Amino acid sequence: MIKLLRVDDRLIHGQVAVSWTSFIGADTLLVANEKATKDKVMQMAFNMAKPPQVLLSIKNIENAIAVINNPKYVDKKIFVVTGSMEDALSICEKCEEVKDVCLGGIRKAEGKKMVERQVYLNSEEIEIMKKIKNLGKEVFLQAVPTEKKLSFEDVIKEYTR
């Protein structure tokens, strides 16, 4: 069962590894990111950051989709983390099991506008977010479980201000 898909360009760090994994009760952390599949230093850092009782799996998008859709893992409580809105859309388009998409840390870059202190989006990402929502997924923004959740509509309002 997919507990949550989070978009966070840092992938695994304290908020993800500890706060979110514990809050949603995940036993598996699935990093869906092409670069992470090839970067041994990144893999080692992610392994050190994750809680000891949680299994870490690092896959490219295609293989992450295969894991999510594999009935063999139906009893697992999987927390999927990806680094971009584009990757989240690819997963959402091919995985009915994904119900909730949490926008987490998306860093500031040229052409991006601040929506919340840790989330900056551009117009293309807003359009992708709308596509994900139109697939029937709940899209929200929340840095950590103890902070206020911003709904899809609130994110749009903040962006268009």
Side-chain angles (χ1 to χ4, degrees):
M1 169 195 332
I2 304 305
K3 300 296 281 181
L4 182 66
L5 185 153
R6 180 175 169 92
V7 181
D8 192 319
D9 60 19
R10 296 175 291 169
L11 298 170
I12 305 295
H13 53 88
Q15 291 173 342
V16 170
V18 180
S19 298
W20 280 105
T21 303
S22 300
F23 179 75
I24 63 176
D27 57 26
T28 305
L29 191 49
L30 174 58
V31 175
N33 182 269
E34 187 70 38
K35 182 180 176 195
T37 64
K38 297 174 177 138
D39 187 326
K40 297 294 181 204
V41 173
M42 195 181 267
Q43 292 170 17
M44 192 169 47
F46 292 168
N47 236 329
M48 290 183 342
K50 74 164 186 68
Q53 74 280 10
V54 174
L55 174 72
L56 173 66
S57 182
I58 302 171
K59 304 285 185 194
N60 64 26
I61 300 305
E62 182 181 322
N63 289 335
I65 290 167
V67 167
I68 293 166
N69 289 330
N70 189 333
K72 176 173 133 180
Y73 302 114
V74 73
D75 292 332
K76 292 285 182 190
K77 295 174 187 158
I78 303 173
F79 178 21
V80 182
V81 181
T82 192
S84 72
M85 294 294 292
E86 293 86 359
D87 289 347
L89 176 61
S90 295
I91 292 168
C92 287
E93 286 175 331
K94 296 179 178 123
C95 300
E96 285 185 33
E97 177 79 20
V98 174
K99 305 289 185 221
D100 299 317
V101 178
C102 174
L103 307 183
I106 303 172
R107 286 179 258 204
K108 184 178 184 175
E110 191 171 325
K112 291 192 174 198
K113 184 177 177 183
M114 186 173 83
V115 176
E116 268 293 304
R117 64 184 162 84
Q118 294 181 358
V119 177
Y120 294 79
L121 299 171
N122 61 31
S123 59
E124 292 84 17
E125 290 166 321
I126 292 292
E127 289 308 310
I128 291 169
M129 192 177 80
K130 289 176 182 176
K131 287 178 184 177
I132 293 170
K133 178 74 172 166
N134 288 337
L135 290 170
K137 313 299 183 185
E138 181 186 350
V139 180
F140 60 94
L141 186 155
Q142 192 173 21
V144 291
T146 55
E147 287 186 6
K148 183 179 162 225
K149 183 192 260 190
L150 275 182
S151 69
F152 169 81
E153 294 78 14
D154 290 337
V155 172
I156 298 295
K157 275 185 215 168
E158 286 298 319
Y159 182 80
T160 55
R161 262 194 210 200

